Amino acid sequence: MSSLNSQLQNFKKSFKASADIAVKRAGQAVPIKETKSGGTIANNTKASFESGGITKKRKKTTVFSQPANTGTGHHAMSQLYTVIQFLKDSDDPQSVISIASRTKVDISKNQLLWDKLVNNDKIEFDAVNQTFAYKPTYQIKSKEDLLELLIQKKSDGGMDYKDLKDSYSKLSSAVEELAAEGQILVVRNKDGNPRVLFHNEAQYNTPIDPDFKKMWSEIPIPDETDLPKALETAGLKTMEVFEKKVTSETKPKRSKTRNKRIKITNTHLSHIDLSKDYVPPNKK
């Protein structure tokens, strides 16, 4: 019995010694290098990171897919486009010096570019004054010219705004002034930009009762998806587009001549050529 107690005491001592060693090892502090930290997790922004004094060397990246900004460019077509755009925005003829000062393109030193401008259908060259001018589709120099053009074209309906854009550099302001004066009617896009211009003839402006205008504006317009159903409920039909069938002229059929094979039954006449006329033999 005493031997068992002694063994038990020895086991407890050895167990306690191993536990103390494990605790001592776990309690040893691991040396950690202090690093400057700018900002915390809650404020991990670029400004707080840079304010901590840590600066990283950034690699210089060069983007090779983007061309360098050289202004008007060195290609002849690029320079030609720049000059034509400048002349389009100018309402008056421009000299060579004026073109060079505004576009940085000296056409007097580029014979190819000079020839392309002189021979361009949309450019008017004055050989006497050595000036270039853009030839618009319509000659518009003021809002009065625009109004006169719309009066001339009223029988053709409205005029597209995009067809007039290259005719006058101040077209937008002229349209808005004439619309405010009630001289023209403007159909606009969803973004408010003009789309079609009409001359407003005062004789057709019929006064409408304000109550009728109010009733008209209060009529709810169904959504585009619900519109067909609303029309059907009201006993109306949506507009149908009928395609006109093109009827081609029927040509008379030609009867085909077929070579029919004829079965010869008179085999005893096979030695006689029936395609020749019969000529009786000469009697002596």
Side-chain angles (χ1 to χ4, degrees):
M1 189 71 179
S2 58
S3 61
L4 291 175
N5 291 332
S6 60
Q7 290 179 4
L8 180 61
Q9 293 295 332
N10 292 332
F11 175 76
K12 289 182 178 180
K13 288 180 181 181
S14 62
F15 179 78
K16 184 178 180 182
S18 62
D20 293 339
I21 294 172
V23 171
K24 185 176 181 181
R25 288 179 180 178
Q28 291 179 354
V30 179
I32 300 174
K33 294 182 180 180
E34 292 184 0
T35 58
K36 292 183 179 181
S37 176
T40 59
I41 295 176
N43 188 20
N44 190 19
T45 61
K46 182 180 179 181
S48 62
F49 180 79
E50 292 179 351
S51 64
I54 299 176
T55 56
K56 293 183 179 180
K57 292 183 179 179
R58 298 179 180 177
K59 295 182 180 179
K60 294 182 179 180
T61 57
T62 304
V63 181
F64 296 97
S65 61
Q66 297 293 334
N69 186 9
T70 56
T72 57
H74 299 288
H75 197 273
M77 297 305 296
S78 175
Q79 294 178 344
L80 178 65
Y81 174 80
T82 303
V83 174
I84 291 178
Q85 284 297 119
F86 167 68
L87 296 175
K88 184 185 293 187
D89 297 335
S90 304
D91 296 328
D92 300 322
Q94 301 295 324
S95 63
V96 177
I97 299 175
S98 177
I99 294 173
S101 63
R102 296 294 298 274
T103 63
K104 308 302 179 183
V105 179
D106 191 356
I107 59 177
S108 62
K109 296 181 181 180
N110 191 333
Q111 187 62 39
L112 176 63
L113 186 59
W114 180 280
D115 294 339
K116 286 184 177 295
L117 279 174
V118 172
N119 298 323
N120 196 302
D121 295 335
K122 299 294 291 185
I123 301 300
E124 184 178 357
F125 174 64
D126 188 352
V128 177
N129 299 320
Q130 294 290 304
T131 57
F132 294 85
Y134 183 79
K135 291 192 295 185
T137 308
Y138 302 99
Q139 295 294 332
I140 302 175
K141 301 296 182 182
S142 62
K143 68 176 184 179
E144 288 77 16
D145 294 341
L146 174 60
L147 180 61
E148 184 65 26
L149 178 64
L150 292 176
I151 293 174
Q152 294 176 2
K153 298 289 185 177
K154 65 181 182 181
S155 59
D156 300 335
M159 297 190 68
D160 289 339
Y161 180 80
K162 62 181 180 181
D163 296 338
L164 303 171
K165 288 182 67 175
D166 66 339
S167 301
Y168 186 36
S169 61
K170 301 178 182 178
L171 179 66
S172 178
S173 59
V175 169
E176 298 302 330
E177 290 178 8
L178 291 174
E181 296 171 1
Q183 299 286 338
I184 64 174
L185 300 175
V186 183
V187 177
R188 302 180 182 273
N189 295 319
K190 292 182 179 180
D191 55 1
N193 292 324
R195 184 163 61 94
V196 186
L197 308 180
F198 296 88
H199 172 241
N200 184 19
E201 297 189 55
Q203 59 178 341
Y204 298 115
N205 293 337
T206 304
I208 301 176
D209 188 84
D211 294 336
F212 181 80
K213 291 182 180 180
K214 183 180 179 182
M215 292 171 59
W216 178 268
S217 61
E218 290 177 352
I219 297 176
I221 300 176
D223 189 65
E224 186 177 355
T225 56
D226 299 333
L227 185 59
K229 186 177 180 180
L231 290 174
E232 185 179 356
T233 305
L236 302 174
K237 292 183 179 180
T238 57
M239 184 177 66
E240 297 179 356
V241 180
F242 296 95
E243 296 181 358
K244 184 179 179 181
K245 295 182 180 180
V246 180
T247 56
S248 58
E249 296 181 358
T250 56
K251 296 180 180 180
K253 295 182 179 180
R254 295 180 180 178
S255 58
K256 295 181 180 180
T257 56
R258 297 180 181 179
N259 296 326
K260 295 181 179 181
R261 293 182 180 180
I262 301 174
K263 186 177 181 181
I264 299 175
T265 56
N266 299 329
T267 55
H268 62 283
L269 300 176
S270 60
H271 64 283
I272 300 174
D273 189 2
L274 299 177
S275 61
K276 295 181 179 179
D277 294 334
Y278 174 75
V279 178
N282 295 328
K283 294 181 180 181
K284 295 182 179 179

